[in-house]
Amino acid sequence: MDSIHKLQEIFANFPGIGPRQARRFVYYLMNKSPSFLNEFTKLVSEIKKSVFECENCHRFSAVADSHAKQTKCNICSDINRDDTTLLVVARDADLDAIESSGAYKGRYFVLGGSVPILDKEPQRRIRLETLLKHISDSENSNEENSRALKEIIISMNSTPEGDHTADIVRDALRRIKMDLKITVLGRGISTGAELEYLDKDTIQNALQNRH
Ligand SMILES: [Zn+2]
């Protein structure tokens, strides 16, 4: 395969991008100046160095200080957040959408993906074991009862894959038998809706009407 087709194939694997759009991206790049392409490839090749994965919630954040090793993101390091709720999302983009709605002040956990229906190995798609460990660790570490984890809000896209992922997470949480309330977002969200594209009011309503 030549490099043009390889590039096309890479773009076609991007989330939400089909073969036709991938081809358009390649043509777009072909018409750009060498300096643009140098800047672009430099940014792409350094992306892993310019971000870090939070050891707690697993979201990616930009590295603020390249000399200090950061392990926790700004949300996890914020002592004013509500420790009693943990909101579980599939991807970083979902967390960003909920965070920018301003309707949620608790903690997060990013699963790192969702599970397609009929997938036989969900643990390879999402951080299920890490989530379970994270929950039992936070139960043990928070002696102070008023700050102990009380509720887990499973916040997935309103799609068959999102529902399926929510079922897997809920079943796994029930197996560990902890005294926690498990909720899902309210169905103010219409079927097929992806969290990433919802407006602030819809997210606020979905959180308020969680059940
Ligand atoms: Zn974090």
Side-chain angles (χ1 to χ4, degrees):
M1 196 189 291
D2 61 47
S3 57
I4 300 290
H5 284 98
K6 254 188 219 162
L7 197 52
Q8 211 170 296
E9 202 175 87
I10 289 172
F11 283 132
N13 282 320
F14 277 35
I17 301 300
R20 193 183 302 217
Q21 283 161 306
R23 205 156 43 231
R24 288 176 63 192
F25 287 179
V26 174
Y27 283 123
Y28 173 79
L29 290 176
M30 278 179 188
N31 286 302
K32 298 306 274 187
S33 67
S35 64
F36 173 90
L37 294 175
N38 282 339
E39 172 76 3
F40 178 68
T41 47
K42 186 169 167 274
L43 290 171
V44 173
S45 63
E46 287 173 356
I47 201 163
K48 281 284 182 190
K49 275 186 269 170
S50 49
V51 295
F52 72 98
E53 184 181 325
C54 175
E55 62 174 13
N56 203 41
C57 70
H58 298 276
R59 71 193 274 247
F60 288 101
S61 303
V63 175
D65 176 357
S66 55
H67 299 293
K69 175 132 178 64
Q70 285 166 278
T71 54
K72 281 194 179 126
C73 72
N74 61 340
I75 298 177
C76 291
S77 344
D78 185 350
I79 52 160
N80 296 316
R81 305 275 311 200
D82 174 14
D83 290 319
T84 66
T85 52
L86 181 73
L87 194 138
V88 180
V89 291
R91 297 180 180 83
D92 288 56
D94 304 327
L95 186 155
D96 291 343
I98 292 169
E99 192 58 15
S100 50
S101 79
Y104 180 71
K105 295 288 171 224
R107 303 287 180 189
Y108 291 99
F109 186 91
V110 182
L111 288 174
S114 51
V115 186
I117 293 169
L118 302 177
D119 189 286
K120 294 277 180 283
E121 292 179 287
Q123 62 280 6
R124 290 183 54 169
R125 301 259 181 186
I126 57 174
R127 299 184 184 101
L128 196 53
E129 291 308 315
T130 316
L131 171 67
L132 301 182
K133 188 174 178 302
H134 177 75
I135 292 168
S136 56
D137 287 354
S138 46
E139 281 239 312
N140 297 333
S141 70
N142 251 321
E143 304 287 306
E144 213 186 313
N145 202 34
S146 63
R147 298 200 74 159
L149 180 62
K150 292 186 180 65
E151 179 181 356
I152 297 177
I153 310 167
I154 306 173
S155 313
M156 298 295 135
N157 287 339
S158 184
T159 57
E161 187 166 319
D163 290 342
H164 183 56
T165 309
D167 288 344
I168 290 170
V169 173
R170 196 189 294 114
D171 289 349
L173 291 174
R174 282 189 182 140
R175 274 201 304 275
I176 59 172
K177 288 199 185 75
M178 280 176 162
D179 190 19
L180 293 170
K181 189 172 161 192
I182 302 167
T183 55
V184 291
L185 292 182
R187 285 294 155 155
I189 299 181
S190 55
T191 307
E194 298 193 28
L195 275 174
E196 191 185 341
Y197 303 114
L198 295 180
D199 61 60
K200 203 174 136 204
D201 293 342
T202 313
I203 292 181
Q204 270 173 0
N205 282 333
L207 273 167
Q208 264 161 21
N209 299 318
R210 65 184 189 264
H211 53 87

